[in-house]
Amino acid sequence: MSNGDNFGPAVPDLTPSGTRLPRLWLLRHGETEWSREGNYTGLTDIPLTPEGEAQARAALEKIGPVSFDRVLTSPLIRARRTAELVGYPDAEIVPHAHEWDYGDNEGRNSRQVREENPGYLIWKDGVPNGESLAQVAERADRIISAVQAGSGTEMDRNPEATPVEKVLLVAHGHFLRILAARWLGLPPEFGRHFALSTAAVCTLGWDKHTPAVVGWNL
């Protein structure tokens, strides 16, 4: 499936001003030591591994020849470095695009947590002394509304804005999964169904004005 400028329906979905409805590319950061071990990595600011840097460089080919109107990144170094390695060293830093704040679970993996709490699932049990799922979803909604500003969509909170067509967001696994659910108009817990690998590329768009997943975990 192509992620280039020419993908999409023969008759594209249009904004009230006649431009194409915005499409949002998602890029998860490359591997870190903690992601390799399966540890919850929220606000801890750790760098990419050499493998993570190689993954990020390889993501450029997955994205393809797209001319983005805006490139956004989480403020955390693993996302900013990934953005740099795919060609966007000056990506716009969005403070609220950081990963879920995992609270007391930071740096631990789900196996360790389940040893203490059998049956634990972050999507239903949340995290102690961290962010609620609703708080993460609210941050994701802010990004969606900014991307869709001026588009006349349900998430458009600034109808007077000039709409954009192509945006790239470089961020984190759980955050991007929640954002994808919210783009589709689903409750944030539906993010559990969107598996996402390190340095994977996804595209969110439209099908007859219905929010849709165009490509996932590429």
Side-chain angles (χ1 to χ4, degrees):
M1 180 182 300
S2 171
N3 274 332
D5 283 352
N6 295 324
F7 84 87
V11 180
D13 295 311
L14 302 179
T15 70
S17 62
T19 61
R20 292 182 64 144
L21 282 177
R23 291 163 287 167
L24 177 59
W25 280 252
L26 309 177
L27 172 59
R28 185 184 174 191
H29 64 77
E31 178 194 82
T32 67
E33 288 186 9
W34 280 13
S35 70
R36 184 179 60 211
E37 301 301 321
N39 297 345
Y40 291 116
T41 315
L43 303 183
T44 304
D45 211 4
I46 59 177
L48 302 179
T49 62
E51 173 62 20
E53 297 218 347
Q55 290 175 346
R57 292 187 184 95
L60 179 59
E61 183 175 351
K62 300 178 189 177
I63 294 171
V66 184
S67 298
F68 291 108
D69 300 302
R70 296 178 70 185
V71 177
L72 314 175
T73 181
S74 156
L76 296 171
I77 187 64
R78 57 193 185 273
R80 289 189 288 113
R81 178 60 173 159
T82 298
E84 179 182 355
L85 290 170
V86 294
Y88 300 99
D90 299 318
E92 179 182 344
I93 295 173
V94 181
H96 51 279
H98 62 78
E99 180 60 296
W100 198 336
D101 179 354
Y102 296 118
D104 294 347
N105 288 345
E106 182 79 2
R108 311 177 75 207
N109 60 43
S110 57
R111 176 184 51 78
Q112 292 171 314
V113 175
R114 288 193 184 107
E115 287 176 354
E116 302 168 2
N117 182 10
Y120 172 81
L121 185 65
I122 192 171
W123 300 99
K124 66 179 180 66
D125 297 316
V127 292
N129 298 312
E131 277 186 295
S132 69
L133 181 56
Q135 288 174 316
V136 183
E138 189 276 333
R139 293 194 285 109
D141 283 358
R142 290 171 63 188
I143 292 175
I144 295 170
S145 293
V147 170
Q148 296 184 19
S151 299
T153 61
E154 186 173 341
M155 293 292 284
D156 178 4
R157 302 291 182 265
N158 185 10
E160 301 303 316
T162 300
V164 296
E165 293 190 23
K166 297 180 283 286
V167 179
L168 171 66
L169 170 63
V170 185
H172 310 272
H174 273 135
F175 183 72
L176 293 177
R177 294 166 71 180
I178 292 165
L179 187 148
R182 297 300 301 138
W183 181 278
L184 299 176
L186 300 172
E189 57 267 27
F190 276 66
R192 67 186 291 188
H193 300 292
F194 295 99
L196 190 58
S197 305
T198 50
V201 176
C202 311
T203 312
L204 303 176
W206 309 87
D207 178 28
K208 299 178 178 63
H209 285 267
T210 299
V213 174
V214 178
W216 190 261
N217 205 34
L218 302 178

